[in-house]
């Protein structure tokens, strides 16, 4: 594949910097980077710096100032100093996670893709992680469409190469696996690419199935964090697969995943448990009478994890594990999901299934504190969660919408009962679509 040259721009890409902007950024030494560049980037190190609270300001001037700084950071991603490049990548990440910059990003998408590609190929572990994180946010900003497909065609092969490269750092491979899953999720039109990406991720996490270990179960290795990231990215992609492909994947993995519940890494146990709950949910959506042969053995394992009292485990870990596996056990045994509510601005979103939870958790991990802002304003995310067009409300309207805590409690209780009743009816009347396998 031919990658775009660093100095080459198409007609719709970034224009030359205007008067007063740095045209040729002089490379800093590592010592200079720690002083000058880090202080220059410090305004973007905290997502709170992008919030719009406080006195009224000239929004147009603020936007121009923001774009001026971002252009400088894009230039700095090509600097000779690794510290300078990494600081610039982190600053761009903070901006992209905290603001909607659609037009700015679209005009410079190939420049950004080229910078990300260079940093992943030539950088070391921390720089590769930062570049992979920026690639995720770049696709989140653009959403699904032909422009995102162009970016993925450029970055996809590079990400896959790092994920499969046993000589690369585990942290870089982990970040690239997550990025690969998220970017492919956003670019959903190409089913061939979806299958290829899932196979790449499968080749990674299925290595955790191999049991050249003691009788107590799966032991933790330095590759476990990579296996976890690959498994979670694969699970995210499974949620958008055609149903016939879902059937194949469930048949392939449902009997092997329970082995990971014995891993002595807490995060692997939790990832495996939540993936199992999601697989059961998808299987039952296809076949209401879906039957799992080893149900008794599986529920015993899940119940043991939901009531785990081993003294050699930290109390915090035990509390987290018990909380997660109580929900997983309910999903497997009772087909139930504990509905959660997410608030963002004047809106509310209910997470009422494992598919939705997996999707929400993934994007929350990427966007961090910017998740609420993107749920309010990002067209792509609102489409994913079926929230409709962004709600535009002025301050006066917001004030009139406020209700007392007691009224909110009554409304939420009634809404919860109504949803529970509707879902129960849906389960009772679910059509029999035939044999699952």
């Amino acid at each position: 594949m031919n990658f775009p040259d660093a100095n080459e721009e198409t007609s719709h890409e970034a224009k030359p910097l205007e008067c007063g902007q740095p045209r040729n950024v002089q490379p800093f030494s590592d010592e200079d980077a720690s002083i000058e560049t880090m202080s220059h980037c410090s305004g973007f190190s905290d997502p709170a710096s992008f919030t719009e609270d406080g006195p009224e300001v000239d929004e147009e001037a603020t936007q121009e100032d923001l774009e001026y700084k971002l252009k400088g950071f894009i230039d700095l991603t090509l600097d000779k100093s690794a510290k300078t490049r990494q600081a610039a990548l982190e600053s761009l990440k903070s901006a992209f996670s905290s603001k909607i910059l659609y037009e700015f990003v679209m005009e410079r998408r190939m420049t950004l893709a080229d910078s990300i590609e260079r940093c992943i190929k030539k950088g070391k572990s921390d720089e590769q992680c930062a570049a992979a994180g920026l690639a995720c946010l770049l696709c989140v900003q653009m959403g699904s469409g032909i422009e995102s497909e162009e970016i993925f065609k450029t970055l996809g092969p590079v990400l896959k190469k790092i994920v499969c490269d046993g000589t690369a750092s585990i942290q870089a491979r982990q970040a690239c696996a997550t990025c690969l899953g998220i970017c492919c999720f956003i670019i959903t039109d190409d089913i061939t690419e979806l299958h290829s990406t899932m196979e790449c991720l499968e080749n990674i996490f299925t290595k955790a199935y191999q049991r050249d270990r003691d009788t107590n179960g799966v032991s933790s290795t330095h590759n476990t964090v990579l296996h976890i990231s690959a498994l979670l990215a694969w699970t995210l992609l499974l949620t958008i697969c055609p149903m016939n492909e879902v059937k194949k994947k469930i048949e392939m993995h449902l009997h092997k995943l329970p082995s990971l519940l014995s891993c002595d890494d807490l995060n692997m146990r939790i990832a495996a448990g939540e993936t199992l709950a999601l697989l059961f949910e998808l299987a039952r959506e296809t076949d209401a009478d879906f039957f799992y042969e080893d149900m008794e053995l599986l529920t015993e394992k899940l119940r043991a994890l939901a009531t785990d009292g081993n003294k050699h485990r930290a109390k915090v870990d035990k509390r987290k594990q018990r909380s997660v596996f109580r929900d997983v056990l309910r999903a497997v045994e009772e087909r139930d999901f504990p509905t959660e509510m997410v608030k963002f601005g004047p809106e509310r979103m209910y997470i009422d299934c494992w598919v939705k939870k997996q999707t929400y958790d993934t994007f929350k991990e990427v966007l961090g504190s910017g998740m609420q802002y993107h749920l309010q304003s990002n067209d792509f995310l609102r489409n994913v969660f079926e929230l409709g067009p962004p709600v535009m409300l002025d301050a006066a309207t917001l004030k009139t919408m406020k209700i007392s805590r007691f009224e909110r409690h009554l409304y939420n209780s009634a809404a919860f009962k109504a949803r529970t009743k509707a879902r129960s009816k849906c389960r009772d009347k679910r059509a029999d679509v035939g044999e699952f396998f």
Side-chain angles (χ1 to χ4, degrees), residues 195-431:
H195 291 166
S196 171
T197 301
M198 291 187 74
E199 286 178 7
C200 174
L201 296 168
E202 278 178 322
N203 291 336
I204 300 299
F205 77 79
T206 51
K207 292 177 182 176
Y209 293 158
Q210 298 167 7
R211 303 193 65 173
D212 52 341
R213 293 139 175 141
D214 59 40
T215 55
N216 292 327
V218 181
S219 62
S220 179
T221 69
H222 69 289
N223 288 324
T224 299
V225 290
L226 172 61
H227 297 159
I228 293 169
S229 295
L231 174 61
L232 293 176
W234 175 86
T235 306
L236 175 70
L237 294 180
L238 186 67
T239 65
I240 58 171
C241 275
M243 198 52 69
N244 62 332
E245 187 68 18
V246 171
K247 292 179 182 180
K248 294 177 184 176
K249 297 299 184 185
I250 290 175
E251 185 176 16
M252 186 185 303
H253 294 283
L254 193 56
H255 293 280
K256 297 177 181 178
L257 273 168
S259 67
L260 302 183
L261 298 175
S262 301
C263 181
D264 52 10
D265 184 284
L266 171 65
N267 292 322
M268 174 57 92
R269 294 197 299 274
I270 288 175
E274 293 186 338
T275 299
L276 279 167
L278 187 143
L279 291 181
F280 270 90
E281 181 176 273
L282 291 175
R284 287 162 174 165
E285 281 183 8
T286 306
D287 180 4
D289 298 321
F290 168 71
F291 176 74
Y292 180 64
E293 295 177 357
D294 300 323
M295 180 66 82
E296 187 175 345
L297 180 60
L298 176 59
T299 53
E300 283 180 11
K301 279 188 176 182
L302 296 176
R303 192 171 289 107
L305 291 166
T307 58
D308 189 4
N310 287 338
K311 293 182 179 180
H312 69 277
R313 286 179 180 156
K315 289 183 179 179
V316 174
D317 288 350
K318 283 190 288 189
R319 280 197 295 270
K320 184 178 180 181
Q321 175 181 289
R322 288 196 292 258
S323 174
V324 169
F325 279 95
R326 281 195 295 267
D327 294 340
V328 173
L329 183 62
R330 284 172 58 187
V332 172
E333 275 194 320
E334 305 170 26
R335 306 186 180 200
D336 197 14
F337 180 88
T339 301
E340 304 170 22
M341 182 178 69
V342 178
K343 300 179 182 180
F344 47 99
E347 298 179 85
R348 305 290 184 269
M349 178 177 74
Y350 290 95
I351 299 175
D352 53 6
C353 63
W354 285 98
V355 168
K356 205 168 186 177
K357 182 182 187 303
Q358 171 70 19
T359 308
Y360 176 80
D361 288 348
T362 300
F363 283 99
K364 185 179 179 182
E365 186 70 24
V366 172
L367 292 165
S369 59
M371 182 65 177
Q372 290 189 349
Y373 179 82
H374 277 264
L375 282 174
Q376 286 180 265
S377 309
N378 188 308
D379 288 330
F380 164 72
L381 274 188
R382 293 185 67 85
N383 184 52
V384 167
F385 293 106
E386 300 177 336
L387 296 172
V391 178
M392 306 301 291
L393 298 173
D394 56 30
T397 306
L398 287 172
K399 190 173 182 180
T400 61
M401 289 177 62
K402 289 186 177 179
I403 59 176
S404 70
R405 180 177 295 181
F406 180 67
E407 288 175 313
R408 281 201 306 272
H409 173 73
L410 291 177
Y411 172 79
N412 290 335
S413 296
F416 178 79
K417 289 178 182 177
R419 281 196 314 277
T420 303
K421 195 172 181 180
R423 290 174 65 199
S424 297
K425 286 181 179 179
C426 181
R427 289 195 193 95
D428 293 341
K429 296 180 180 181
R430 187 170 290 170

Side-chain angles (χ1 to χ4, degrees), residues 57-77:
V57 294
D58 185 341
E59 290 186 7
E60 186 174 343
T62 302
Q63 184 68 16
E64 288 179 358
D65 181 57
L66 171 62
E67 292 186 4
Y68 173 85
K69 291 179 179 179
L70 293 178
K71 290 172 187 176
F73 293 141
I74 292 172
D75 288 340
L76 289 172
T77 60

Side-chain angles (χ1 to χ4, degrees), residues 11-60:
S11 60
H12 54 277
E13 299 302 324
K15 298 179 177 61
L17 298 177
E18 298 174 359
C19 182
Q21 291 182 263
R23 290 178 178 272
N24 295 314
V25 179
Q26 295 298 321
F28 292 169
S29 66
D30 286 353
E31 291 77 9
D32 293 335
S34 62
I35 300 171
E36 298 182 34
T37 307
M38 300 307 171
S39 62
H40 181 50
C41 295
S42 61
F44 295 87
S45 60
D46 181 6
S49 63
F50 292 99
T51 58
E52 298 176 356
D53 296 335
E56 291 186 8
V57 294
D58 185 341
E59 290 186 7
E60 186 174 343

